[in-house]
Amino acid sequence: MIVRPFENADLADAASALIDVHTTDGYPVEGVDQPEAWLRSADVIAAWVGELGGSIVGHVAIMRPHGEDAVSLWMQQSDDSEDHIAVLARLFVVKTARRHAAGEHLMRAAMAYGSEHGLRLVLDVMTKDASAIRLYERLGWREIGRTPHHYGSGQSIDAVCYVAPQA
């Protein structure tokens, strides 16, 4: 399992992996109609891919805050200002790579980046994604609240907000 910075040449393969994960898990609930645009959002600060046997099997990004409830919740509970907070997002791993701890490796790369750049990472995860919740908690992320995750045209699903452990 190799985790490395996302490169433009990875876009098509990462988009294919995203569609595969959506088909398998229903994640993400948005973005699959234009997966390449979703992965290359202007809000991305840094991103990584997981590679196994020469194939892209996963992805994670750190993004600028853009009105996320997890950011608001953390600012209410801490002395952090928005310019010191970033959102861990767009984490996905194809089913066949999960037994290789791909999600954990991707998370650790993003967490190291946040620590190195003085960013406190937050995220939200839909309550239906129990395996992701177990991963975050095992890595020391702490629940900071619950909120609906809004997507599509007026749709929402329950989500849990987390903050990364202090480095």
Side-chain angles (χ1 to χ4, degrees):
M1 178 73 211
I2 298 168
V3 172
R4 60 175 176 75
F6 180 94
E7 300 172 359
N8 287 334
D10 298 325
L11 188 56
D13 290 340
S16 292
L18 174 69
I19 291 168
D20 181 33
V21 170
H22 177 75
T23 301
T24 303
D25 302 321
Y27 175 87
V29 292
E30 70 271 301
V32 292
D33 54 339
Q34 296 181 324
E36 292 184 2
W38 192 75
L39 290 169
R40 294 307 301 154
S41 164
D43 291 325
V44 173
I45 297 169
W48 298 263
V49 292
E51 191 177 315
L52 188 62
S55 297
I56 302 296
V57 296
H59 174 276
V60 69
I62 293 178
M63 304 182 73
R64 287 176 195 83
H66 193 70
E68 293 87 355
D69 289 336
V71 173
S72 299
L73 284 167
W74 181 243
M75 287 182 4
Q76 292 168 10
Q77 296 174 31
S78 72
D79 292 330
D80 284 343
S81 61
E82 189 171 279
D83 58 333
H84 290 105
I85 301 170
V87 180
L88 189 137
R90 314 257 196 292
L91 173 66
F92 60 88
V93 174
V94 299
K95 189 173 185 175
T96 57
R98 294 177 189 164
R99 65 181 177 263
H100 296 279
E104 180 173 344
H105 292 298
L106 287 162
M107 286 289 297
R108 289 192 185 281
M111 291 167 66
Y113 181 94
S115 180
E116 291 164 11
H117 290 85
L119 296 170
R120 193 63 184 262
L121 301 180
V122 297
L123 62 81
D124 74 40
V125 57
M126 293 169 279
T127 55
K128 73 174 186 64
D129 295 325
S131 60
I133 290 171
R134 284 191 302 272
L135 172 63
Y136 303 145
E137 291 178 352
R138 187 166 42 82
L139 293 175
W141 289 64
R142 182 173 51 87
E143 182 179 332
I144 56 173
R146 294 181 178 243
T147 185
H149 176 90
H150 300 283
Y151 64 98
S153 55
Q155 296 174 290
S156 68
I157 189 168
D158 291 338
V160 184
C161 298
Y162 285 91
V163 64
Q166 192 80 29

